[in-house]
Amino acid sequence: MSNDNSKFGNNKPSTRLAVNEVSHHFSSHGSSRGMLHVLRNITFVAGTREFVSIIGPSGCGKSTLLNLIAGIEEPSDGDIHISHKPATSRLGVVGYMHQSDLLLPWRSIVDNATLGLELQGLRRKEARDLAYLEME
């Protein structure tokens, strides 16, 4: 994967996440095919402070892709880079939250997103301030 950001133009953010030719399959027990291919040759980049949405019908592999990026699973093929470095150990570095804020339903999405900071000892207001700063 090239570290060239020229495709972003001069005033676009630098690449923060790069997914390059990522494919993933699961063993299909009891199937004559043997493998269930859920992702094939997925490639995209996301810049620092960019907002990215992954949209598709139920069962198309959105959650699988997020699990691969977060390090919960490893791709069958391809690679994932974070800040231009191969992301071979992403577990605990990358996180995501599904559309529904199901972690703690009585908390807002922002409060659920900042829960990790609070658990590390940051006060709720400080954690929220950091979150809002990142959203600017």
Side-chain angles (χ1 to χ4, degrees):
M1 169 121 223
S2 170
N3 288 347
D4 179 19
N5 288 330
S6 61
K7 60 185 150 194
F8 290 114
N10 290 335
N11 44 355
K12 293 287 184 177
S14 63
T15 301
R16 179 73 172 137
L17 169 69
V19 175
N20 186 33
E21 296 291 319
V22 166
S23 297
H24 193 67
H25 62 266
F26 295 101
S27 295
S28 184
H29 300 291
S31 170
S32 60
R33 295 184 197 155
M35 294 290 173
L36 175 62
H37 294 273
V38 292
L39 297 173
R40 290 185 190 197
N41 302 323
I42 304 296
T43 298
F44 69 91
V45 294
T48 302
R49 296 187 182 269
E50 279 189 319
F51 186 89
V52 177
S53 297
I54 300 173
I55 301 169
S58 179
C60 74
K62 300 178 301 290
S63 293
T64 299
L65 180 59
L66 291 172
N67 287 340
L68 294 172
I69 293 169
I72 296 169
E73 298 181 49
E74 291 299 320
S76 301
D77 293 300
D79 50 64
I80 298 170
H81 289 215
I82 298 174
S83 298
H84 303 289
K85 296 176 187 159
T88 54
S89 180
R90 297 174 307 283
L91 194 59
V93 174
V94 176
Y96 70 94
M97 182 176 290
H98 287 277
Q99 183 175 351
S100 299
D101 53 346
L102 297 176
L103 184 60
L104 299 173
W106 60 88
R107 292 177 69 127
S108 69
I109 291 174
V110 170
D111 287 339
N112 270 302
T114 59
L115 181 61
L117 294 172
E118 291 176 51
L119 293 174
Q120 291 179 8
L122 214 57
R123 284 188 233 137
R124 182 178 284 189
K125 182 181 180 336
E126 292 169 326
R128 292 180 115 235
D129 288 347
L130 280 173
Y132 285 123
L133 184 64
E134 286 296 317
M135 290 189 277
E136 289 180 357

